[in-house]
Amino acid sequence: MTRQDIPLLEMRKMSVSFPTQSGERIEVLSEVSLNIWPSEVLGVVGESGSGKSMLTFASLGLLPKTGRASGEVRLRGEALHAQHKRRMSQVRGREIGLIVQEPTPSLNPVRRIGSQLAESARHARIPADQIKSASIRALDEVNLPAEVLGRYPGELSGGMNQRVAIAMVLLQNPGVLIADEPTTALDVTTQYEVMQLLEGLRVQHEMGMMLISHDLGVIKAMADRIAVMYRGHLVELGTTEDIVSRPRHPYTQTLVASAPRLHPIEAAPLQDSGCPLLPGDPQLSDDHDHPPTLERDRRHVVWCWDAHHGHAR
Amino acid sequence: MLIECTDISKQFSRRSPRVLDEVNIAVDHNEAVAIVGESGAGKSTLGRILLQLETATSGSYRFEGREVSSLRGSAYREWRPKVQAVMQNPRASLNPRQPIWVSITEPLEALRRMGAQQRKRAAGDLLERVGLPAGILQRYPGQLSGGQRQRVAIARGLSSDPKVLVLDEPLSALDVSARAQIIELLAQVHRDLQLSYVFITHDLTTVTELCSRLYVLQRGRLVEEMTTEQMLAGPEHEYTKKLLSSVLTLDSPSIRGVA
Amino acid sequence: MKKFSWTSGLSLFVLALAVLIALFGPLVFPGDPNLVDLAKALRPPVWAGGTWEHWLGTDQLGRDSFLRLIHGARVSLGIAAVATLLGAVIGTLIGMLAGYLGGWADALLSRLIDIQLALPVIVLALAVATVLPPSVISIVVIIAVSTWVSYARVTRAEALVLQNSEFVALSTVAGLRLPKILGRHILPNVMPSVLVMMSMDFGKAIVFEASLSFLGLGVQPPLSSWGSLIADGREFIIAMPSLVLIPSIIVAVVALSANILGDWVRDRIDPSLGAVSAAPRAELGGTR
């Protein structure tokens, strides 16, 4: 069974670089280390270009060919290597489920929902004679009727397609779920329903979860801990309460201050911290070597190049 | 009233369902009003009717008391600069092949004859008003960030000194930090210039940040009309209640354990 | 972006040479291409035992083949260039109007395109040729009539996308009138596709002109094009193959060069600027 003392998914010093037109490589993810512990929700927040989606792609070996990744991924302690294509394809879906932003394009438009669910079921080694009943059960779990099996993705709404995508993940019953902007393309009310659904299923299926979003409000509603990413770097990691109420890194402070609210607050003017937020400082690599005990203690960690902000407090 | 829409309906073809069904809205001088709804609510179509990019199938749209669809020739050309727009996608709202000063002064160009130098000077002033250096006049949209492009789009919207700015989801394609800055800018512009906003959005937080009144549309029908305070105190209509409770902000309760 | 390869370089050289010869050849090599001298009829080229006086030989009327090729270049390339331009201008204008205006204008154009597409080009050419007297102008018209459709189709589709784009909507809101909207917002954004098609069509037009002239529907004597040279020489294909082969090879090489260059132009023009599509999808590293 799940051991509580080792992470479900451990990402250590994950880096990703892409070539530019001039032939140099630019780093879009720099030595990011994160753990997902059993039954926790880890929120990853960042704006465009923060590298938050790269983390998923690199961990699952899904980078485009030109991308180069380094770092170590461990699933329940077992080291995964992107080169081991067979093992990776077993892991994807069966052990790590993935839900992405745009459900409609991620489904094959010319195949019925039923046949796409069946494929997931086969991937999960569900016996042929049980595939249909398993598919109906999975649809039921996401509150969709069985007749959806005969429909095409184009006939369903965005919210329904996202439910189908969740049902596909459920069929495989993975221990870890990575949800990358799962509700960004949806209407507010649908977003709320899908979030509630995800939370219910996460509890029921005892999944650990990484929820990636640009929207701190969405992250806050669900996450136990929040990792803040900025330009490829992990800049702050702490409990949800700490990050939202006591952000320490100047970038996190900006993020919290500019988060949309129904009752706008008069944000205290941010002091210019002088934090250059530039890579290359030797402190960075030291910080990223922090021991996992720090995370288990759920402590608040800040990575900054400015000595005033210090680190690991 | 500056704008009065009475029983506006829109059908794209005779057999298709009504995208807007007898919608009534009114916007006063110097007022910021929101039109709120989810996808398919018809809010963008309403905005396009206000801009006369579409014509209503039936109903009346009066601007300063005059029926807009009946304006012809010089009367139409006089009306046109008074209603301007800022749209959702800062990438698509500027022609990628023309320097930004040309885009910014397009509404001016149609308004009166002006030389290139005059228009450039006007564009420079407008850029400064929206917090961009006048030195970027000659740049192309591709050389600007999303937030900067949205500022340019606002500068363009202001160039003909309009009475109304129709803002169709101008924030939804922006990062949060850029979004906060644009809200700040829009609030400042609304304070400084005497103009009205018609803010089309799916996002209730933008409403509370910028608008004093809102209309809620659901599948083409107007379901509720209220002030922002009334909305925050608790709306009447079930749909508005649902919209409000679905908003996830830092102040919203966690959904953990709720499900 | 595709590199400028040696094939593109060679093609550019061939095409430039052909254009230079067409423009200045008659000045550099003076002489009357229509000077009949039956005493010198059917002389072979110099490598087949001829003399340097007529180094590419002479035809059945004793006219100098080299001079006729040089003068033919003017006619062939001139017709191809004018016809390509005419087809492009007409097609682009109609396509943009139909795509931008929509409604009945679009319906009318779409039917016209359907009709044109249902007619084989050669039949259309023959039909036009029977109505118009064979002349340079008729050839230009025939070629333009057969090419404008593709420009209209492509620019209509692009204008339709552009018409729905925010910046075109905003220029309407700004109060710009139709010619300015078309000229400033639609045309520059369909131009890359038009240029690519034109560079491809130029090669086709050379071959098309040659085919028409070969069929006797084209250039009439005393004017001669490469196509009419081939037509004139066909009776002597056994006795004097150079009369047919040399102009044929020239047509083939020039048309091929134009096509290779067209390919290069197509690859050069940034496809991301081709048409402005709706909201761009997720970029690397972010979704917003």
Side-chain angles (χ1 to χ4, degrees):
Chain A
M1 265 329 286
T2 310
R3 285 178 53 184
Q4 298 295 318
D5 57 339
I6 53 168
L8 273 177
L9 190 68
E10 193 177 350
M11 292 165 278
R12 282 179 62 80
K13 292 196 172 185
M14 299 299 293
S15 296
V16 174
S17 65
F18 280 95
T20 58
Q21 282 201 325
S22 57
E24 296 164 58
R25 298 191 75 83
I26 49 161
E27 223 172 30
V28 293
L29 191 66
S30 301
E31 301 208 343
V32 171
S33 301
L34 283 171
N35 292 340
I36 303 171
W37 294 93
S39 74
E40 85 158 341
V41 179
L42 173 70
V44 178
V45 69
E47 297 180 299
S48 50
S50 65
K52 58 189 191 300
S53 295
M54 281 301 131
L55 192 59
T56 322
F57 294 155
S59 312
L60 295 178
L62 290 172
L63 283 178
K65 279 209 172 68
T66 51
R68 202 183 286 159
S70 66
E72 202 183 29
V73 183
R74 286 173 176 273
L75 180 68
R76 300 176 208 269
E78 174 208 357
L80 299 176
H81 301 281
Q83 301 93 298
H84 291 177
K85 296 237 159 61
R86 260 192 77 190
R87 179 66 187 130
M88 274 318 269
S89 84
Q90 281 178 346
V91 166
R92 286 196 291 264
R94 233 151 78 192
E95 289 166 65
I96 305 176
L98 179 64
I99 298 171
V100 294
Q101 177 179 353
E102 293 276 356
T104 311
S106 69
L107 296 169
N108 185 340
V110 297
R111 288 177 55 201
R112 290 177 201 278
I113 300 295
S115 100
Q116 305 195 48
L117 282 170
E119 191 174 285
S120 292
R122 276 193 293 278
H123 190 58
R125 304 253 168 88
I126 291 175
D129 56 333
Q130 291 166 30
I131 284 179
K132 183 142 191 212
S133 56
S135 299
I136 293 172
R137 214 175 316 123
L139 284 177
D140 185 54
E141 281 195 84
V142 297
N143 305 331
L144 287 175
E147 68 218 39
V148 168
L149 285 177
R151 299 286 193 85
Y152 291 95
E155 298 175 295
L156 305 179
S157 69
M160 287 169 92
N161 277 327
Q162 193 60 292
R163 287 165 194 270
V164 170
I166 297 170
M168 286 169 77
V169 168
L170 290 180
L171 274 172
Q172 316 209 30
N173 203 13
V176 189
L177 178 62
I178 300 181
D180 189 352
E181 304 270 8
T183 58
T184 303
L186 306 177
D187 273 327
V188 248
T189 50
T190 321
Q191 158 166 297
Y192 195 76
E193 286 159 16
V194 169
M195 295 275 293
Q196 278 188 322
L197 181 69
L198 275 176
E199 168 61 13
L201 294 169
R202 188 191 65 78
V203 173
Q204 200 181 336
H205 291 256
E206 297 173 344
M207 288 186 284
M209 183 170 164
M210 178 156 88
L211 176 65
I212 303 171
S213 179
H214 70 284
D215 187 338
L216 195 53
V218 166
I219 298 269
K220 192 236 159 196
M222 205 163 167
D224 296 293
R225 289 187 305 148
I226 298 180
V228 183
M229 305 256 318
Y230 179 73
R231 293 197 190 166
H233 295 271
L234 177 61
V235 295
E236 190 161 354
L237 177 65
T239 61
T240 298
E241 174 61 20
D242 269 356
I243 295 285
V244 171
S245 315
R246 288 173 291 281
R248 294 222 189 99
H249 193 281
Y251 178 69
T252 315
Q253 290 168 352
T254 312
L255 214 54
V256 171
S258 39
R261 289 171 195 263
L262 277 173
H263 303 271
I265 45 158
E266 211 46 57
L270 294 170
Q271 314 140 350
D272 187 7
S273 66
C275 178
L277 292 165
L278 285 171
D281 192 292
Q283 278 185 14
L284 175 68
S285 46
D286 292 341
D287 280 348
H288 276 66
D289 259 342
H290 64 93
T293 47
L294 258 180
E295 297 203 357
R296 239 184 303 174
D297 290 351
R298 305 255 157 105
R299 284 178 55 186
H300 195 151
V301 196
V302 183
W303 289 270
C304 194
W305 287 263
D306 184 357
H308 294 301
H309 289 96
H311 40 278
R313 290 180 239 217
Chain B
M1 277 293 152
L2 186 61
I3 288 177
E4 273 172 294
C5 287
T6 322
D7 294 338
I8 293 275
S9 294
K10 177 72 184 174
Q11 244 176 326
F12 282 103
S13 70
R14 213 164 286 167
R15 285 199 202 103
S16 62
R18 285 188 173 185
V19 183
L20 289 173
D21 196 358
E22 303 194 339
V23 171
N24 294 290
I25 66 161
V27 182
D28 210 344
H29 289 275
N30 202 21
E31 193 187 22
V33 171
I35 297 177
V36 176
E38 297 189 296
S39 50
K43 57 190 192 300
S44 286
T45 307
L46 184 56
R48 288 177 67 87
I49 289 172
L50 293 179
L51 294 164
Q52 286 292 288
L53 289 168
E54 309 275 358
T55 46
T57 313
S58 65
S60 137
Y61 165 25
R62 287 172 173 271
F63 190 92
E64 293 177 324
R66 300 182 67 183
E67 187 62 44
V68 174
S69 58
S70 68
L71 298 176
R72 296 280 177 272
S74 64
Y76 173 79
R77 281 197 298 280
E78 251 169 57
W79 167 81
R80 190 82 263 187
K82 292 180 184 170
V83 184
Q84 292 294 304
V86 177
M87 300 212 176
Q88 174 175 13
N89 191 342
R91 281 165 187 279
S93 60
L94 299 168
N95 185 343
R97 289 173 200 276
Q98 77 187 9
I100 57 170
W101 73 268
V102 180
S103 296
I104 291 175
T105 54
E106 244 172 24
L108 272 181
E109 196 182 334
L111 196 59
R112 58 186 99 96
R113 293 210 170 275
M114 280 177 105
Q117 283 312 316
Q118 252 181 310
R119 276 163 51 209
K120 265 190 202 174
R121 215 172 308 127
D125 294 344
L126 286 159
L127 280 176
E128 279 174 19
R129 165 161 284 295
V130 298
L132 288 173
I136 64 167
L137 277 180
Q138 298 285 3
R139 298 243 185 114
Y140 286 80
Q143 295 166 288
L144 305 177
S145 73
Q148 287 172 326
R149 270 181 262 188
Q150 209 56 313
R151 283 174 192 268
V152 170
I154 293 169
R156 174 204 175 99
L158 296 176
S159 70
S160 64
D161 224 348
K163 301 220 163 152
V164 182
L165 210 49
V166 176
L167 301 124
D168 190 352
E169 300 275 15
L171 306 167
S172 66
L174 301 176
D175 271 331
V176 266
S177 48
R179 177 186 182 278
Q181 289 168 9
I182 297 294
I183 287 191
E184 182 81 13
L185 173 67
L186 287 172
Q188 184 198 331
V189 165
H190 190 239
R191 272 196 307 273
D192 295 354
L193 306 175
Q194 302 292 307
L195 82 172
S196 303
Y197 284 166
V198 176
F199 214 106
I200 294 163
T201 183
H202 70 282
D203 178 10
L204 285 174
T205 61
T206 5
V207 178
T208 59
E209 282 165 308
L210 284 166
C211 304
S212 54
R213 214 154 55 78
L214 68 151
Y215 292 93
V216 181
L217 281 179
Q218 185 189 21
R219 274 178 257 116
R221 283 171 174 276
L222 198 60
V223 296
E224 199 166 358
E225 175 199 341
M226 68 209 123
T227 65
T228 305
E229 288 79 45
Q230 285 168 333
M231 189 262 293
L232 287 173
E236 310 244 306
H237 196 278
E238 279 308 313
Y239 179 68
T240 318
K241 283 182 191 164
K242 190 176 171 194
L243 267 186
L244 190 62
S245 64
S246 298
V247 177
L248 292 175
T249 68
L250 296 185
D251 309 318
S252 317
S254 169
I255 64 163
R256 294 293 287 273
V258 170
Chain C
M1 190 187 292
K2 196 173 171 180
K3 284 214 184 82
F4 194 77
S5 63
W6 67 270
T7 43
S8 327
L10 193 64
S11 308
L12 185 64
F13 175 75
V14 168
L15 218 58
L17 192 69
V19 170
L20 282 176
I21 287 175
L23 289 174
F24 304 112
L27 303 174
V28 179
F29 304 101
D32 184 358
N34 296 318
L35 185 69
V36 174
D37 185 352
L38 290 173
K40 289 178 180 171
L42 293 174
R43 292 274 176 88
V46 67
W47 59 85
T51 60
W52 281 102
E53 192 196 351
H54 302 286
W55 72 281
L56 286 183
T58 57
D59 68 2
Q60 69 276 23
L61 296 178
R63 294 178 293 195
D64 184 76
S65 295
F66 177 64
L67 287 177
R68 285 172 66 71
L69 279 170
I70 286 176
H71 286 258
R74 247 186 195 191
V75 178
S76 287
L77 297 183
I79 288 176
V82 174
T84 306
L85 195 67
L86 188 68
V89 169
I90 295 173
T92 304
L93 203 64
I94 294 181
M96 287 198 311
L97 276 171
Y100 178 73
L101 294 176
W104 63 266
D106 190 29
L108 188 73
L109 173 87
S110 300
R111 290 298 82 74
L112 219 63
I113 291 176
D114 289 345
I115 292 168
Q116 169 111 41
L117 286 179
L119 279 177
V121 169
I122 199 76
V123 174
L124 189 74
L126 290 172
V128 176
T130 51
V131 180
L132 296 177
S135 71
V136 171
I137 291 172
S138 341
I139 302 187
V140 168
V141 170
I142 290 171
I143 297 178
V145 161
S146 66
T147 53
W148 74 273
V149 188
S150 45
Y151 293 92
R153 256 172 60 200
V154 170
T155 54
R156 175 191 166 267
E158 290 190 355
L160 203 66
V161 174
L162 288 163
Q163 190 260 329
N164 284 310
S165 78
E166 296 186 349
F167 68 84
V168 173
L170 283 169
S171 68
T172 312
V173 171
L176 290 199
R177 311 239 185 136
L178 180 69
K180 268 197 178 164
I181 294 177
L182 287 187
R184 196 185 282 174
H185 294 298
I186 311 278
L187 185 62
N189 286 296
V190 301
M191 219 42 213
S193 321
V194 171
L195 282 178
V196 168
M197 288 167 67
M198 280 178 74
S199 61
M200 296 294 203
D201 273 359
F202 183 62
K204 279 192 223 157
I206 294 172
V207 176
F208 200 8
E209 181 279 325
S211 321
L212 287 173
S213 295
F214 182 80
L215 291 173
L217 303 172
V219 175
Q220 298 301 307
L223 220 51
S224 58
S225 70
W226 290 340
S228 57
L229 290 185
I230 301 171
D232 291 349
R234 79 191 131 166
E235 285 170 48
F236 306 94
I237 191 157
I238 305 294
M240 190 66 66
S242 64
L243 278 180
V244 171
L245 282 180
I246 292 173
S248 302
I249 289 168
I250 288 176
V251 167
V253 168
V254 172
L256 181 67
S257 303
N259 278 341
I260 291 175
L261 224 58
D263 269 336
W264 177 75
V265 171
R266 187 182 57 200
D267 293 338
R268 255 312 294 272
I269 288 176
D270 186 356
S272 67
L273 287 173
V276 182
S277 54
R281 289 269 74 90
E283 298 160 73
L284 283 182
T287 41
R288 292 245 119 185

